[in-house]
């Protein structure tokens, strides 16, 4: 059984950088960590020079010495490969390993993640260093697992080096076989973009009006993802030759232009995430202005991580103020907030938590990205809070291995994710619905899962959801359409929002009547459509509720047997069907002509009978989140108060307070940022 995802207890760790501190501090640091309840550390992700100070010169003494101390102190270790930060000697001698700006200017030494995945030279150096590190350190008894690189695709998820262009051409040759096929798939008849040979194709370059061929950009995003996945696999294949039985391979974060599901499937035992909800309170944070979610937005990201392979771990959990010397200044977490954000991670499916970082660095870009301890290293309020969290972990240990419970699944695909980043209309509807549905889920206490349709997805995985919402199935494949059909035939309820069935996999618009491949099951035809003029509202009357078709109006015509549930209530298309239900097999499809905002999503949850599954047993104000995890007939209910004020909740039944081991019921006041975990 893995030391971390063990189904028995929740283990606490911290990120540590022995290379940042005088050796005389190491033993004391490890002792103090142990005293606080910290049982593992993550090390070495940025320290290539400590293994290979010059090309071809290897040394292991630094981490040998440190690992011996870990053994003595019984501190477990996650060891990392150092490839996120190539040494200066390497990039200076072989500048082709560097990533480049779109206009070709190279990103130079001085920051991090400035390499590209496709440079044969960097791949060679990487194979070599990973092989040497893994073979040398993997047998060490303190090591429990491995992290590949650090935050793959973070900082920059676009690559424009010469090696990338060469690899892009290979990727396209493999995909299309001939240049004729590529021309067709990319619609190069438009604006005379036709290629006569693959050698004329480049990764997207600087163009006028920043308007590179959209089908090319869609393929480019897939190419970046493919490169990153191969990068992770290159490393995991080597590490796996050497690791001890039971040790794991993972990586951290969740970044763009990356099919994280494929990366996990091919290379990792599980995913870990780096959770910094305090960014919502930063000076240049857009979360405060755009949504009432603030730090609750991180629940969405945690749900995305859970969609990869179920329960996961946190590799970096906020423990202090964040900010670089250049950007992102944010306050110190207020008393209770570290606990709140830790429990947010656990509520959403994390089974171990590692804090970023033990001591705050006194030099470099991250002097404001605080750890638990400040520069002086003396005991402080945050260390005390973390020590108390450890006691809470002991009290809730049986939560480990339990499953997050949601009756609603929100469907996504990587093709639609990528397309919505490059297509203006798609972007507007997608971002509106993603935030709207998540806000509704948070504020009405209706848990959701994200469900990615992939080649491997089976209908059984969908069948566990009472309701699937596929906000904008703009790109649909035959396979996806038939999977959704099967889900509905077997009794599922599928909600589709506007623009379904508009494009094929290459991003080319279908000439079929929309919703194209989904016409059959949805029983509608889209006869007219429009963006809603900014400042205007398109209203829809649905029984006693008036909802908004946000951003867009698809005008619908039902086929025979389909039922019009609601029509547009204002503007030029007043009276035209906006919401159509079609019974299909044992289930039904409801097509909605707009994008979803918070209110319309709430109305859908209510009318479909999935809103707030705990309403019978507790009253919870909007300011608090509820999350449910279940294991062996036990239900664990997390109540998290995100507000800076006390909130009153009412339990209509006796429940067991896991922190205090006492039963509780009736009115309970949660102080600011307080969390409560109940067992039923
Ligand atoms: C993460 C990264 C860490 C540290 C932290 C604060 O993205 O993995 O190394 O940089 O953010 O910026």
């Amino acid at each position: 059984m893995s030391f971390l995802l063990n189904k028995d207890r929740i283990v606490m760790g911290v990120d540590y950088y022995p290379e940042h501190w005088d050796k005389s501090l190491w033993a004391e640091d490890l002792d103090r960590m142990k005293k606080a309840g910290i049982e593992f550390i993550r090390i070495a992700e940025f320290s290539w020079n400590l293994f290979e100070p010059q090309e071809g010169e290897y040394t292991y003494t630094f981490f040998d010495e440190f690992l011996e101390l870990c053994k003595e102190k019984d501190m477990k270790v996650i060891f990392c490969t150092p490839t996120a930060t190539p040494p200066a000697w390497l990039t200076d001698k072989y500048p082709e390993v560097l990533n480049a700006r779109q206009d070709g200017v190279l990103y130079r030494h001085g920051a991090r993640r400035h390499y590209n995945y496709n440079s044969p030279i960097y791949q060679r150096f990487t194979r070599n260093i990973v092989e040497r590190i893994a073979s040398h350190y993997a047998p060490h008894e303190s090591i429990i697992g491995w992290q590949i690189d650090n935050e793959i695709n973070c900082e920059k998820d676009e690559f424009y080096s010469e090696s990338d262009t060469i690899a892009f051409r290979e990727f396209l040759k493999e995909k299309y076989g001939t240049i004729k096929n590529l021309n067709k798939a990319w619609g190069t008849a438009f604006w005379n973009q036709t290629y006569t040979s693959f050698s004329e194709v480049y990764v997207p370059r600087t163009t006028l009006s920043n308007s590179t061929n959209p089908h090319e950009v869609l393929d480019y995003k897939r190419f970046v993802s493919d490169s990153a996945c191969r990068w992770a696999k290159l490393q995991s294949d080597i590490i796996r030759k050497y690791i001890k039985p039971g040790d794991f391979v993972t990586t951290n974060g969740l970044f763009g232009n990356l099919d994280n599901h494929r990366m996990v499937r091919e290379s990792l035992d599980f995913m870990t995430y780096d959770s910094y909800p305090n960014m919502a309170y930063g000076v240049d944070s857009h979360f405060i202005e755009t949504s009432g979610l603030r730090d609750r937005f991180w629940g969405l990201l945690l749900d995305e991580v859970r969609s990869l392979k179920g329960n996961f771990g946190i590799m970096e959990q906020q423990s202090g103020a964040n900010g670089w010397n250049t950007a992102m200044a944010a306050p110190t977490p207020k008393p209770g907030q570290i606990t709140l954000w830790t429990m947010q991670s656990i509520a959403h499916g994390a089974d171990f938590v590692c804090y970023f970082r033990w001591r705050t660095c006194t030099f470099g870009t991250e002097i404001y990205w605080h750890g638990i301890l400040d520069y002086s290293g003396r005991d402080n309020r945050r260390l005390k809070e973390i020590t108390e969290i450890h006691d809470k972990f002991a009290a809730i240990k049986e939560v480990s291995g339990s499953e997050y419970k949601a009756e609603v699944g929100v469907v996504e695909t990587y093709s639609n994710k990528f397309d919505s980043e490059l297509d203006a209309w798609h972007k507007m509807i997608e971002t509106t619905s993603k935030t709207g549905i998540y806000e509704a889920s948070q504020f009405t206490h209706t848990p959701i899962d994200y469900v990615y349709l992939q080649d491997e997805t089976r209908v059984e995985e969908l069948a566990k959801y009472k309701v699937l919402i596929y906000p904008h199935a703009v790109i649909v494949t035959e396979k996806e359409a038939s999977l959704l059909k099967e889900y509905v035939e077997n009794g599922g309820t599928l909600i589709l929002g506007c623009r379904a069935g508009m494009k094929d996999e290459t991003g080319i618009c279908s000439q079929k009547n929309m919703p194209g491949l989904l016409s059959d099951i949805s029983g509608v035809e889209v006869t007219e459509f429009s963006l809603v003029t900014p400042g205007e509202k398109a209203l829809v009357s649905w029984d006693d509720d008036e909802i908004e078709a946000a951003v867009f109006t698809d005008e619908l015509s039902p086929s025979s047997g389909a039922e019009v549930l609601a029509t547009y209530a204002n503007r030029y298309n007043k009276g035209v069907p906006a919401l159509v239900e079609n019974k299909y097999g044992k289930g039904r499809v409801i097509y909605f002509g707009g994008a979803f905002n918070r209110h319309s999503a709430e109305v859908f949850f209510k009318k479909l009978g999935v809103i707030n599954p705990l309403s019978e047993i507790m009253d919870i104000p909007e300011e608090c989140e509820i999350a449910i995890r279940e294991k062996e007939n036990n239900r664990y209910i997390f109540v998290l108060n995100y507000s800076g004020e006390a909130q009153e909740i009412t339990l209509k039944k006796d429940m067991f307070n896991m922190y205090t081991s006492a039963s509780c019921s009736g009115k309970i006041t949660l102080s600011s940022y307080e969390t409560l975990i109940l067992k039923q």
Side-chain angles (χ1 to χ4, degrees):
M1 178 159 303
S2 154
F3 185 80
L4 294 181
L5 286 191
N6 55 44
K7 301 199 162 84
D8 265 351
R9 63 197 191 93
I10 296 166
V11 187
M12 183 185 266
V14 78
D15 302 310
Y16 192 55
Y17 298 87
E19 66 275 25
H20 293 175
W21 311 108
D22 195 273
K23 277 186 192 171
S24 61
L25 287 174
W26 291 356
E28 181 195 323
D29 277 351
L30 295 181
D31 286 339
R32 290 172 75 199
M33 290 174 196
K34 292 290 283 202
K35 201 166 149 226
I38 289 164
E39 294 180 66
F40 72 96
I41 54 178
R42 180 200 59 174
I43 58 169
E45 74 273 26
F46 303 122
S47 41
W48 192 316
N49 276 301
L50 293 172
F51 310 110
E52 191 181 5
Q54 292 292 337
E55 183 174 354
E57 184 185 316
Y58 304 101
T59 158
Y60 304 97
T61 49
F62 183 89
F63 284 105
D64 277 347
E65 189 183 340
F66 182 71
L67 284 171
E68 276 317 288
L69 188 65
C70 292
K71 186 164 133 193
E72 193 188 304
K73 304 287 179 190
D74 191 26
M75 180 63 80
K76 304 291 183 213
V77 173
I78 299 177
F79 210 90
C80 304
T81 66
T83 49
T85 45
W89 57 255
L90 199 164
T91 56
D92 199 50
K93 183 164 171 198
Y94 306 100
E96 60 267 54
V97 309
L98 295 169
N99 189 8
R101 261 180 9 195
Q102 197 170 24
D103 60 4
V105 174
L106 296 178
Y107 290 111
R108 298 290 180 173
H109 192 82
R112 63 176 174 185
R113 301 209 53 75
H114 43 295
Y115 67 92
N116 71 73
Y117 303 124
N118 286 305
S119 152
I121 293 180
Y122 200 50
Q123 289 177 355
R124 174 164 61 78
F125 273 101
T126 292
R127 272 195 205 96
N128 181 47
I129 198 73
V130 175
E131 186 92 39
R132 283 173 189 274
I133 291 173
S135 58
H136 182 83
Y137 294 107
H140 197 282
E141 68 179 74
S142 299
I143 291 181
I144 51 169
W146 288 78
Q147 174 186 303
I148 293 173
D149 202 287
N150 188 72
E151 298 195 327
I152 293 176
N153 273 9
C154 178
E155 257 111 59
K156 193 93 208 140
D157 60 7
E158 292 170 12
F159 297 80
Y160 300 106
S161 71
E162 281 176 23
S163 301
D164 290 306
T165 284
I166 293 166
F168 189 40
R169 289 176 187 153
E170 290 309 310
F171 173 86
L172 295 170
K173 271 186 215 159
E174 168 105 6
K175 180 162 183 176
Y176 294 113
T178 65
I179 198 70
K180 197 166 157 223
N181 291 342
L182 177 140
N183 279 317
K184 183 152 185 273
W186 286 8
T188 54
F190 184 77
W191 282 355
N192 199 39
Q193 290 171 354
T194 305
Y195 295 100
T196 58
S197 133
F198 281 99
S199 64
E200 293 160 6
V201 181
Y202 292 79
V203 289
R205 292 187 292 181
T206 311
T207 52
L208 253 178
S209 322
N210 197 22
S211 68
T212 308
N213 178 310
H215 317 290
E216 173 183 348
V217 179
L218 186 56
D219 269 342
Y220 170 72
K221 284 171 166 284
R222 291 172 175 141
F223 159 74
V224 171
S225 170
D226 182 67
S227 306
C229 288
R230 284 187 292 105
W231 178 251
K233 183 139 185 348
L234 176 157
Q235 300 204 25
S236 81
D237 282 353
I238 298 172
I239 298 168
R240 285 189 196 286
K241 290 198 293 186
Y242 300 105
I243 56 173
K244 300 191 295 300
D247 287 2
F248 58 81
V249 179
T250 186
T251 190
N252 55 336
L254 199 69
F255 298 94
N257 289 345
L258 180 46
D259 179 340
N260 285 290
H261 287 76
R262 173 179 160 196
M263 182 170 71
V264 171
R265 206 163 51 234
E266 287 180 351
S267 304
L268 310 180
D269 292 296
F270 52 79
M271 189 64 170
T272 66
Y273 183 65
D274 299 342
S275 191
Y276 292 104
N278 197 38
M279 279 162 81
Y281 297 101
V283 288
D284 54 3
S285 171
H286 58 278
F287 297 108
I288 300 171
E289 296 100 62
T290 55
S291 140
L293 285 167
R294 298 188 326 263
D295 45 345
R296 292 170 81 165
F297 177 81
W298 267 257
L300 181 158
L301 303 170
L302 295 160
D303 291 345
E304 289 268 5
V305 182
R306 194 178 62 251
S307 83
L308 298 171
K309 203 179 171 181
N311 291 10
F312 55 93
I314 300 292
M315 198 62 96
E316 300 179 13
Q317 177 78 51
Q318 183 108 45
S319 71
N322 42 301
W324 282 8
N325 71 320
T326 44
M328 294 187 284
T332 300
K334 301 196 169 58
Q337 278 184 320
I338 301 176
T339 314
L340 170 72
W341 296 326
T342 303
M343 292 306 170
Q344 174 186 42
S345 293
I346 294 173
H348 286 266
D351 275 354
F352 66 86
V353 176
C354 183
Y355 291 96
F356 185 84
R357 50 184 276 166
W358 176 245
R359 288 170 180 269
T360 307
C361 204
T362 56
F363 44 84
T365 302
E366 294 194 345
I367 52 171
Y368 298 125
W369 209 293
H370 288 69
I372 301 172
L373 304 179
D374 296 320
Y375 310 125
S376 73
R378 66 169 165 257
D379 283 357
N380 63 11
R381 160 172 74 79
R382 303 201 299 284
L383 180 61
K384 183 165 174 283
E385 187 167 330
I386 281 176
T387 311
E388 287 162 6
I389 295 173
H390 177 254
D391 297 337
K392 292 191 165 73
F393 281 3
I396 65 164
K397 64 182 187 164
E398 63 179 85
V399 169
S400 179
S402 60
E403 216 184 301
Y404 187 87
K405 257 342 251 190
E407 291 179 331
V408 179
V410 178
V411 179
E412 311 207 333
T413 65
Y414 282 99
S415 286
N416 278 310
K417 199 189 216 20
F418 295 164
D419 191 65
S420 73
E421 290 160 359
L422 64 91
D423 171 310
W425 286 23
H426 195 171
K427 183 185 272 168
M428 278 189 276
I429 55 178
E430 182 58 31
T431 49
T432 301
S433 294
K434 185 118 190 191
T435 319
I437 293 168
Y438 199 71
E439 284 175 337
S441 117
Q442 275 289 316
F443 295 127
T444 66
H445 311 125
T446 308
I448 60 167
D449 276 344
Y450 290 106
V451 185
Y452 276 75
L453 302 186
Q454 306 159 83
D455 275 355
E456 294 70 21
T457 312
R458 298 282 158 268
V459 73
E460 297 74 46
E461 295 161 49
L462 307 183
K464 66 179 194 193
Y465 299 102
K466 250 194 195 165
V467 172
L468 283 184
I469 307 180
Y470 196 168
H472 306 292
V474 172
I475 295 181
V476 191
T477 64
E478 304 259 2
K479 198 163 177 189
E480 289 159 3
S482 74
L483 193 63
L484 293 170
K485 181 170 160 180
E486 219 182 323
Y487 164 76
V488 176
E489 273 174 343
N490 293 343
T493 293
L494 173 66
I495 314 299
L496 296 171
C498 65
R499 305 281 78 203
M502 174 184 168
K503 295 180 178 178
D504 70 13
E505 257 183 300
T506 59
I508 288 183
C509 300
S510 164
Q511 287 180 281
K512 294 199 180 88
N513 285 333
M514 284 178 65
L517 294 172
L518 297 170
S519 298
D520 177 28
I521 56 169
S522 61
V524 291
E525 191 183 304
V526 177
T527 49
E528 281 272 347
F529 55 85
S530 177
L531 274 168
V532 179
T533 312
E536 241 183 9
K537 270 193 176 185
L539 301 175
V540 174
S541 306
W542 187 5
D543 305 330
D544 295 339
D545 290 292
E546 187 168 77
I547 61 173
E548 196 186 329
V551 187
F552 216 87
T553 54
D554 273 350
E555 296 182 10
L556 310 178
S557 163
S559 61
S560 72
E563 187 190 344
V564 175
L565 296 183
T567 53
Y568 291 107
N570 64 342
R571 298 163 73 246
Y572 68 92
N573 52 14
K574 188 169 179 189
V576 171
L579 192 66
V580 170
E581 178 181 88
N582 192 41
K583 302 254 182 338
Y584 195 91
K586 292 190 215 134
R588 61 182 163 160
V589 178
I590 299 177
Y591 193 108
F592 176 48
F596 302 85
N597 61 15
R598 172 178 164 184
H599 175 248
S600 62
E602 281 182 20
V603 172
F604 272 93
F605 289 159
K606 182 180 77 181
K607 300 236 194 228
L608 298 168
V610 288
I611 200 163
N612 189 357
L614 298 183
S615 60
E616 307 262 286
I617 57 170
M618 51 175 67
D619 287 334
I620 308 286
E622 220 174 80
E623 287 75 7
C624 299
E625 173 178 14
I626 63 116
I628 308 163
R629 288 184 59 167
E630 285 182 4
K631 176 163 102 177
E632 296 154 10
N633 297 328
N634 289 317
R635 180 144 83 149
Y636 308 103
I637 301 171
F638 288 69
V639 186
L640 310 175
N641 177 12
Y642 286 87
S643 79
E645 281 162 24
Q647 299 294 332
E648 191 178 90
I649 66 167
T650 307
L651 305 184
K652 302 178 200 168
K653 260 182 133 177
D654 258 8
M655 291 197 214
F656 181 76
N657 178 338
M658 296 185 81
Y659 290 158
T660 59
S661 290
S663 88
C664 56
S665 62
K667 289 197 188 320
I668 298 175
T669 302
L670 294 187
S671 58
S672 52
Y673 312 121
E674 192 177 344
T675 65
L676 177 66
I677 304 173
L678 302 160
K679 180 177 169 182
Q680 242 202 330

